[in-house]
Amino acid sequence: MKSTKLVAVASVAVLGAGLLSSCGAAENGSSSSGGGDKKSIAFIQGVAGDQFYITMQCGIQDEAKKLGATVKVQGPEKFDPTLQKPIVDSVVASKPDAILVAPTDVSAMQAPLKAAADAGIKVVLVDTTVNDPSFAVSQIASDNEGGGKAAFDAIKSQVPNGGKVLVVSVDPGISTTDARVAGFKQAVAGDSKFKYLGVQYSHNEPATAAKIVTAALQKDPDIVGVFATNLFSAEGSATGIRQAGKQGQVKVVSFDAGPDQVKALEDGTIQALVAQQPGVIGQDGVQQAMNALNGKSTEKQIQTGFTIITKDNMNGDAKDAIYKSSC
Ligand code: T6T
């Protein structure tokens, strides 16, 4: 296993769609035109329009250009396996040489992706995984559990005296966000000054995340911290905090680093971001796919690092860790 590429830019001393296809998918970009004897790679995102996957797409396209492959990108309109499965099926029918895919559910995407591998397509799992990923030539993801722990450390540095903490996640059954919740929960359990209020699911809808946070603050006005496990949970949590008029009072730490999250960092609604390295995940994914296609050995598992972004380093060392909205 490749060593962890952890980028510790800052200590956690915080504070201080294009075309719509018939199956409802957004085909949001293809690159490296031509073809000939070039290898063809299909990238299937977890959801279209998410800056995490857009940044990953940029890394994929850059690397594919270097290595001489074509790339087609598609993603479902929502982070939802019932919408992602038909995309996988139609991509498999189009017979690309390799698929880079972020499965939206550990169980529901198992059979469709296994079928892709059985059809002779090299499958690389990027970001998320499935229950039995043995059919994949490689899996590349952040240290999601470690990131959950880092999120707790960031909250703790804000409120060293402890108190009640809440988690806003996406849906159960997503490997990444489930691991972040587990890492955070375990870290809270290790510090008796903190009380874990549990996890609530936003279904990747910012409006739902906002409602969760406002309702939780009504029920428990003494909440000291919120951990939002991804970009859309964070956007909604920030809205909920603003609606409750508790900016800066309740400390918010989230995964990801989309432009809206960075704005919330700037205005003091969010205190720290655990930024992943989606571009690197994409580059590594293409390299592994090409190795597999060229008969070279692959790395079964690659773990990428993260950067803690705060108001203090967002315009400095951590600037490059902010996600892109376009390539
Ligand atoms: O946090 C990322 C990704 O790692 C996760 O699997 C799903 O949500 C994001 O895409 C951010 O919205």
PDB file of all heavy atoms in Angstrom, residues 47 50 52-53 79 127-128 144 170 174 176-177 180 204 229-232 255-256 276 323, ligand 1:
ATOM      1  N   VAL A  47     -22.043  12.463  -7.861  1.00  0.00           N
ATOM      2  CA  VAL A  47     -23.130  13.381  -8.205  1.00  0.00           C
ATOM      3  C   VAL A  47     -22.551  14.471  -9.100  1.00  0.00           C
ATOM      4  O   VAL A  47     -21.400  14.882  -8.907  1.00  0.00           O
ATOM      5  CB  VAL A  47     -23.807  13.971  -6.929  1.00  0.00           C
ATOM      6  CG1 VAL A  47     -22.845  14.784  -6.088  1.00  0.00           C
ATOM      7  CG2 VAL A  47     -25.039  14.801  -7.263  1.00  0.00           C
ATOM      8  N   ASP A  50     -20.848  18.719  -8.173  1.00  0.00           N
ATOM      9  CA  ASP A  50     -20.203  18.777  -6.854  1.00  0.00           C
ATOM     10  C   ASP A  50     -18.735  19.147  -7.089  1.00  0.00           C
ATOM     11  O   ASP A  50     -18.032  18.454  -7.830  1.00  0.00           O
ATOM     12  CB  ASP A  50     -20.341  17.379  -6.217  1.00  0.00           C
ATOM     13  CG  ASP A  50     -19.624  17.214  -4.884  1.00  0.00           C
ATOM     14  OD1 ASP A  50     -18.688  17.978  -4.590  1.00  0.00           O
ATOM     15  OD2 ASP A  50     -19.991  16.284  -4.145  1.00  0.00           O
ATOM     16  N   PHE A  52     -16.166  18.768  -5.473  1.00  0.00           N
ATOM     17  CA  PHE A  52     -15.226  17.691  -5.158  1.00  0.00           C
ATOM     18  C   PHE A  52     -14.967  16.843  -6.416  1.00  0.00           C
ATOM     19  O   PHE A  52     -13.824  16.585  -6.782  1.00  0.00           O
ATOM     20  CB  PHE A  52     -15.789  16.821  -4.021  1.00  0.00           C
ATOM     21  CG  PHE A  52     -14.973  15.592  -3.740  1.00  0.00           C
ATOM     22  CD1 PHE A  52     -13.823  15.646  -2.974  1.00  0.00           C
ATOM     23  CD2 PHE A  52     -15.361  14.356  -4.248  1.00  0.00           C
ATOM     24  CE1 PHE A  52     -13.065  14.503  -2.719  1.00  0.00           C
ATOM     25  CE2 PHE A  52     -14.615  13.205  -3.999  1.00  0.00           C
ATOM     26  CZ  PHE A  52     -13.462  13.290  -3.229  1.00  0.00           C
ATOM     27  N   TYR A  53     -16.064  16.435  -7.084  1.00  0.00           N
ATOM     28  CA  TYR A  53     -15.901  15.595  -8.272  1.00  0.00           C
ATOM     29  C   TYR A  53     -15.428  16.402  -9.479  1.00  0.00           C
ATOM     30  O   TYR A  53     -14.803  15.862 -10.382  1.00  0.00           O
ATOM     31  CB  TYR A  53     -17.197  14.849  -8.588  1.00  0.00           C
ATOM     32  CG  TYR A  53     -17.553  13.851  -7.506  1.00  0.00           C
ATOM     33  CD1 TYR A  53     -18.702  13.996  -6.740  1.00  0.00           C
ATOM     34  CD2 TYR A  53     -16.708  12.772  -7.216  1.00  0.00           C
ATOM     35  CE1 TYR A  53     -19.011  13.104  -5.728  1.00  0.00           C
ATOM     36  CE2 TYR A  53     -17.006  11.878  -6.205  1.00  0.00           C
ATOM     37  CZ  TYR A  53     -18.166  12.048  -5.463  1.00  0.00           C
ATOM     38  OH  TYR A  53     -18.461  11.152  -4.454  1.00  0.00           O
ATOM     39  N   PHE A  79     -26.992  12.323  -5.407  1.00  0.00           N
ATOM     40  CA  PHE A  79     -26.124  11.269  -4.874  1.00  0.00           C
ATOM     41  C   PHE A  79     -27.037  10.115  -4.474  1.00  0.00           C
ATOM     42  O   PHE A  79     -27.477  10.017  -3.322  1.00  0.00           O
ATOM     43  CB  PHE A  79     -25.356  11.832  -3.668  1.00  0.00           C
ATOM     44  CG  PHE A  79     -24.132  11.038  -3.309  1.00  0.00           C
ATOM     45  CD1 PHE A  79     -22.875  11.413  -3.776  1.00  0.00           C
ATOM     46  CD2 PHE A  79     -24.211   9.913  -2.514  1.00  0.00           C
ATOM     47  CE1 PHE A  79     -21.742  10.685  -3.457  1.00  0.00           C
ATOM     48  CE2 PHE A  79     -23.091   9.174  -2.184  1.00  0.00           C
ATOM     49  CZ  PHE A  79     -21.844   9.574  -2.660  1.00  0.00           C
ATOM     50  N   ASP A 127     -12.612   7.613  -4.410  1.00  0.00           N
ATOM     51  CA  ASP A 127     -13.372   8.208  -3.301  1.00  0.00           C
ATOM     52  C   ASP A 127     -14.115   7.123  -2.515  1.00  0.00           C
ATOM     53  O   ASP A 127     -13.623   6.620  -1.529  1.00  0.00           O
ATOM     54  CB  ASP A 127     -14.302   9.315  -3.823  1.00  0.00           C
ATOM     55  CG  ASP A 127     -15.159   9.962  -2.736  1.00  0.00           C
ATOM     56  OD1 ASP A 127     -14.608  10.233  -1.650  1.00  0.00           O
ATOM     57  OD2 ASP A 127     -16.358  10.198  -2.979  1.00  0.00           O
ATOM     58  N   THR A 128     -15.279   6.745  -2.973  1.00  0.00           N
ATOM     59  CA  THR A 128     -16.088   5.770  -2.235  1.00  0.00           C
ATOM     60  C   THR A 128     -15.790   4.341  -2.696  1.00  0.00           C
ATOM     61  O   THR A 128     -15.182   4.126  -3.732  1.00  0.00           O
ATOM     62  CB  THR A 128     -17.575   6.073  -2.466  1.00  0.00           C
ATOM     63  OG1 THR A 128     -17.732   6.403  -3.834  1.00  0.00           O
ATOM     64  CG2 THR A 128     -18.067   7.197  -1.602  1.00  0.00           C
ATOM     65  N   ASN A 144     -10.556   8.683   5.500  1.00  0.00           N
ATOM     66  CA  ASN A 144     -11.820   9.274   5.954  1.00  0.00           C
ATOM     67  C   ASN A 144     -12.019   9.165   7.461  1.00  0.00           C
ATOM     68  O   ASN A 144     -12.500  10.104   8.106  1.00  0.00           O
ATOM     69  CB  ASN A 144     -12.976   8.657   5.184  1.00  0.00           C
ATOM     70  CG  ASN A 144     -13.003   9.151   3.761  1.00  0.00           C
ATOM     71  OD1 ASN A 144     -13.235  10.339   3.537  1.00  0.00           O
ATOM     72  ND2 ASN A 144     -12.733   8.282   2.801  1.00  0.00           N
ATOM     73  N   VAL A 170     -24.721  12.451   5.213  1.00  0.00           N
ATOM     74  CA  VAL A 170     -25.458  12.387   3.946  1.00  0.00           C
ATOM     75  C   VAL A 170     -26.551  11.315   4.019  1.00  0.00           C
ATOM     76  O   VAL A 170     -27.734  11.621   4.122  1.00  0.00           O
ATOM     77  CB  VAL A 170     -24.483  12.116   2.769  1.00  0.00           C
ATOM     78  CG1 VAL A 170     -25.232  12.093   1.443  1.00  0.00           C
ATOM     79  CG2 VAL A 170     -23.367  13.155   2.747  1.00  0.00           C
ATOM     80  N   ILE A 174     -22.852   5.030   2.721  1.00  0.00           N
ATOM     81  CA  ILE A 174     -21.817   5.656   1.881  1.00  0.00           C
ATOM     82  C   ILE A 174     -20.496   5.444   2.618  1.00  0.00           C
ATOM     83  O   ILE A 174     -20.344   5.868   3.772  1.00  0.00           O
ATOM     84  CB  ILE A 174     -22.103   7.160   1.680  1.00  0.00           C
ATOM     85  CG1 ILE A 174     -23.481   7.369   1.048  1.00  0.00           C
ATOM     86  CG2 ILE A 174     -20.998   7.810   0.845  1.00  0.00           C
ATOM     87  CD1 ILE A 174     -23.968   8.819   1.066  1.00  0.00           C
ATOM     88  N   THR A 176     -17.439   6.601   2.535  1.00  0.00           N
ATOM     89  CA  THR A 176     -16.623   7.739   2.992  1.00  0.00           C
ATOM     90  C   THR A 176     -17.233   8.441   4.198  1.00  0.00           C
ATOM     91  O   THR A 176     -16.591   8.597   5.238  1.00  0.00           O
ATOM     92  CB  THR A 176     -16.486   8.760   1.853  1.00  0.00           C
ATOM     93  OG1 THR A 176     -17.799   9.025   1.340  1.00  0.00           O
ATOM     94  CG2 THR A 176     -15.574   8.258   0.754  1.00  0.00           C
ATOM     95  N   THR A 177     -18.478   8.871   4.037  1.00  0.00           N
ATOM     96  CA  THR A 177     -19.086   9.672   5.103  1.00  0.00           C
ATOM     97  C   THR A 177     -19.339   8.804   6.342  1.00  0.00           C
ATOM     98  O   THR A 177     -19.206   9.284   7.468  1.00  0.00           O
ATOM     99  CB  THR A 177     -20.365  10.382   4.605  1.00  0.00           C
ATOM    100  OG1 THR A 177     -21.192   9.438   3.918  1.00  0.00           O
ATOM    101  CG2 THR A 177     -20.017  11.522   3.659  1.00  0.00           C
ATOM    102  N   ARG A 180     -16.132   8.777   8.177  1.00  0.00           N
ATOM    103  CA  ARG A 180     -15.898  10.074   8.850  1.00  0.00           C
ATOM    104  C   ARG A 180     -16.688  10.147  10.148  1.00  0.00           C
ATOM    105  O   ARG A 180     -16.186  10.607  11.172  1.00  0.00           O
ATOM    106  CB  ARG A 180     -16.293  11.229   7.915  1.00  0.00           C
ATOM    107  CG  ARG A 180     -15.427  11.308   6.690  1.00  0.00           C
ATOM    108  CD  ARG A 180     -15.987  12.237   5.615  1.00  0.00           C
ATOM    109  NE  ARG A 180     -15.335  11.925   4.339  1.00  0.00           N
ATOM    110  CZ  ARG A 180     -15.721  12.358   3.150  1.00  0.00           C
ATOM    111  NH1 ARG A 180     -16.779  13.170   3.047  1.00  0.00           N
ATOM    112  NH2 ARG A 180     -15.068  12.016   2.049  1.00  0.00           N
ATOM    113  N   ASN A 204     -27.891  14.678   1.313  1.00  0.00           N
ATOM    114  CA  ASN A 204     -27.088  15.561   0.449  1.00  0.00           C
ATOM    115  C   ASN A 204     -27.848  16.815   0.032  1.00  0.00           C
ATOM    116  O   ASN A 204     -27.483  17.470  -0.948  1.00  0.00           O
ATOM    117  CB  ASN A 204     -26.575  14.821  -0.804  1.00  0.00           C
ATOM    118  CG  ASN A 204     -25.119  15.153  -1.088  1.00  0.00           C
ATOM    119  OD1 ASN A 204     -24.358  15.527  -0.184  1.00  0.00           O
ATOM    120  ND2 ASN A 204     -24.721  15.046  -2.332  1.00  0.00           N
ATOM    121  N   THR A 229     -20.240  16.262   7.436  1.00  0.00           N
ATOM    122  CA  THR A 229     -19.315  15.286   6.843  1.00  0.00           C
ATOM    123  C   THR A 229     -19.044  15.469   5.355  1.00  0.00           C
ATOM    124  O   THR A 229     -18.230  14.729   4.801  1.00  0.00           O
ATOM    125  CB  THR A 229     -19.811  13.840   7.064  1.00  0.00           C
ATOM    126  OG1 THR A 229     -21.019  13.656   6.308  1.00  0.00           O
ATOM    127  CG2 THR A 229     -20.044  13.531   8.529  1.00  0.00           C
ATOM    128  N   ASN A 230     -19.733  16.392   4.695  1.00  0.00           N
ATOM    129  CA  ASN A 230     -19.353  16.654   3.291  1.00  0.00           C
ATOM    130  C   ASN A 230     -19.797  18.066   2.882  1.00  0.00           C
ATOM    131  O   ASN A 230     -20.363  18.817   3.684  1.00  0.00           O
ATOM    132  CB  ASN A 230     -19.894  15.585   2.330  1.00  0.00           C
ATOM    133  CG  ASN A 230     -21.324  15.829   1.879  1.00  0.00           C
ATOM    134  OD1 ASN A 230     -22.113  16.467   2.584  1.00  0.00           O
ATOM    135  ND2 ASN A 230     -21.660  15.329   0.714  1.00  0.00           N
ATOM    136  N   LEU A 231     -19.543  18.364   1.635  1.00  0.00           N
ATOM    137  CA  LEU A 231     -19.735  19.717   1.109  1.00  0.00           C
ATOM    138  C   LEU A 231     -21.167  20.234   1.264  1.00  0.00           C
ATOM    139  O   LEU A 231     -21.398  21.345   1.759  1.00  0.00           O
ATOM    140  CB  LEU A 231     -19.302  19.672  -0.360  1.00  0.00           C
ATOM    141  CG  LEU A 231     -19.162  20.922  -1.168  1.00  0.00           C
ATOM    142  CD1 LEU A 231     -18.010  20.756  -2.172  1.00  0.00           C
ATOM    143  CD2 LEU A 231     -20.434  21.216  -1.947  1.00  0.00           C
ATOM    144  N   PHE A 232     -22.151  19.419   0.859  1.00  0.00           N
ATOM    145  CA  PHE A 232     -23.537  19.907   0.895  1.00  0.00           C
ATOM    146  C   PHE A 232     -24.099  19.922   2.316  1.00  0.00           C
ATOM    147  O   PHE A 232     -24.909  20.797   2.657  1.00  0.00           O
ATOM    148  CB  PHE A 232     -24.409  19.068  -0.053  1.00  0.00           C
ATOM    149  CG  PHE A 232     -23.957  19.171  -1.481  1.00  0.00           C
ATOM    150  CD1 PHE A 232     -23.233  18.162  -2.093  1.00  0.00           C
ATOM    151  CD2 PHE A 232     -24.209  20.329  -2.216  1.00  0.00           C
ATOM    152  CE1 PHE A 232     -22.781  18.274  -3.401  1.00  0.00           C
ATOM    153  CE2 PHE A 232     -23.765  20.468  -3.522  1.00  0.00           C
ATOM    154  CZ  PHE A 232     -23.039  19.428  -4.121  1.00  0.00           C
ATOM    155  N   PHE A 255     -15.973  18.477   6.315  1.00  0.00           N
ATOM    156  CA  PHE A 255     -15.143  17.916   5.252  1.00  0.00           C
ATOM    157  C   PHE A 255     -15.342  18.782   4.015  1.00  0.00           C
ATOM    158  O   PHE A 255     -16.360  19.437   3.853  1.00  0.00           O
ATOM    159  CB  PHE A 255     -15.579  16.474   4.928  1.00  0.00           C
ATOM    160  CG  PHE A 255     -14.514  15.458   5.260  1.00  0.00           C
ATOM    161  CD1 PHE A 255     -14.262  15.130   6.575  1.00  0.00           C
ATOM    162  CD2 PHE A 255     -13.748  14.840   4.269  1.00  0.00           C
ATOM    163  CE1 PHE A 255     -13.278  14.199   6.911  1.00  0.00           C
ATOM    164  CE2 PHE A 255     -12.764  13.907   4.581  1.00  0.00           C
ATOM    165  CZ  PHE A 255     -12.518  13.591   5.897  1.00  0.00           C
ATOM    166  N   ASP A 256     -14.359  18.771   3.134  1.00  0.00           N
ATOM    167  CA  ASP A 256     -14.400  19.405   1.808  1.00  0.00           C
ATOM    168  C   ASP A 256     -14.146  20.913   1.850  1.00  0.00           C
ATOM    169  O   ASP A 256     -14.127  21.522   2.925  1.00  0.00           O
ATOM    170  CB  ASP A 256     -15.713  19.073   1.079  1.00  0.00           C
ATOM    171  CG  ASP A 256     -15.849  17.565   0.863  1.00  0.00           C
ATOM    172  OD1 ASP A 256     -14.886  16.977   0.364  1.00  0.00           O
ATOM    173  OD2 ASP A 256     -16.889  16.987   1.226  1.00  0.00           O
ATOM    174  N   GLN A 276      -9.995  17.485   1.123  1.00  0.00           N
ATOM    175  CA  GLN A 276      -9.400  16.285   0.548  1.00  0.00           C
ATOM    176  C   GLN A 276      -8.541  16.684  -0.662  1.00  0.00           C
ATOM    177  O   GLN A 276      -8.439  17.867  -0.993  1.00  0.00           O
ATOM    178  CB  GLN A 276     -10.490  15.332   0.097  1.00  0.00           C
ATOM    179  CG  GLN A 276     -11.492  14.995   1.181  1.00  0.00           C
ATOM    180  CD  GLN A 276     -12.480  13.949   0.704  1.00  0.00           C
ATOM    181  OE1 GLN A 276     -12.139  12.779   0.580  1.00  0.00           O
ATOM    182  NE2 GLN A 276     -13.716  14.344   0.447  1.00  0.00           N
ATOM    183  N   TYR A 323     -11.211  23.585  -3.578  1.00  0.00           N
ATOM    184  CA  TYR A 323     -11.697  22.878  -4.763  1.00  0.00           C
ATOM    185  C   TYR A 323     -12.019  23.851  -5.905  1.00  0.00           C
ATOM    186  O   TYR A 323     -12.274  25.027  -5.683  1.00  0.00           O
ATOM    187  CB  TYR A 323     -12.966  22.072  -4.429  1.00  0.00           C
ATOM    188  CG  TYR A 323     -12.814  21.009  -3.369  1.00  0.00           C
ATOM    189  CD1 TYR A 323     -13.941  20.306  -2.911  1.00  0.00           C
ATOM    190  CD2 TYR A 323     -11.575  20.676  -2.807  1.00  0.00           C
ATOM    191  CE1 TYR A 323     -13.833  19.309  -1.947  1.00  0.00           C
ATOM    192  CE2 TYR A 323     -11.469  19.689  -1.838  1.00  0.00           C
ATOM    193  CZ  TYR A 323     -12.586  19.017  -1.405  1.00  0.00           C
ATOM    194  OH  TYR A 323     -12.486  18.046  -0.438  1.00  0.00           O
TER     195      TYR A 323
HETATM  196  O1  T6T B   1     -17.033  14.554   0.458  1.00  0.00           O
HETATM  197  C1  T6T B   1     -17.097  14.293  -0.909  1.00  0.00           C
HETATM  198  C2  T6T B   1     -16.902  12.816  -1.143  1.00  0.00           C
HETATM  199  O2  T6T B   1     -15.679  12.401  -0.569  1.00  0.00           O
HETATM  200  C3  T6T B   1     -18.051  12.020  -0.502  1.00  0.00           C
HETATM  201  O3  T6T B   1     -17.900  10.670  -0.781  1.00  0.00           O
HETATM  202  C4  T6T B   1     -19.389  12.548  -0.989  1.00  0.00           C
HETATM  203  O4  T6T B   1     -19.475  13.946  -0.801  1.00  0.00           O
HETATM  204  C5  T6T B   1     -18.446  14.723  -1.451  1.00  0.00           C
HETATM  205  O5  T6T B   1     -18.509  14.510  -2.819  1.00  0.00           O
HETATM  206  C6  T6T B   1     -18.668  16.208  -1.193  1.00  0.00           C
HETATM  207  O6  T6T B   1     -19.937  16.629  -1.564  1.00  0.00           O
END
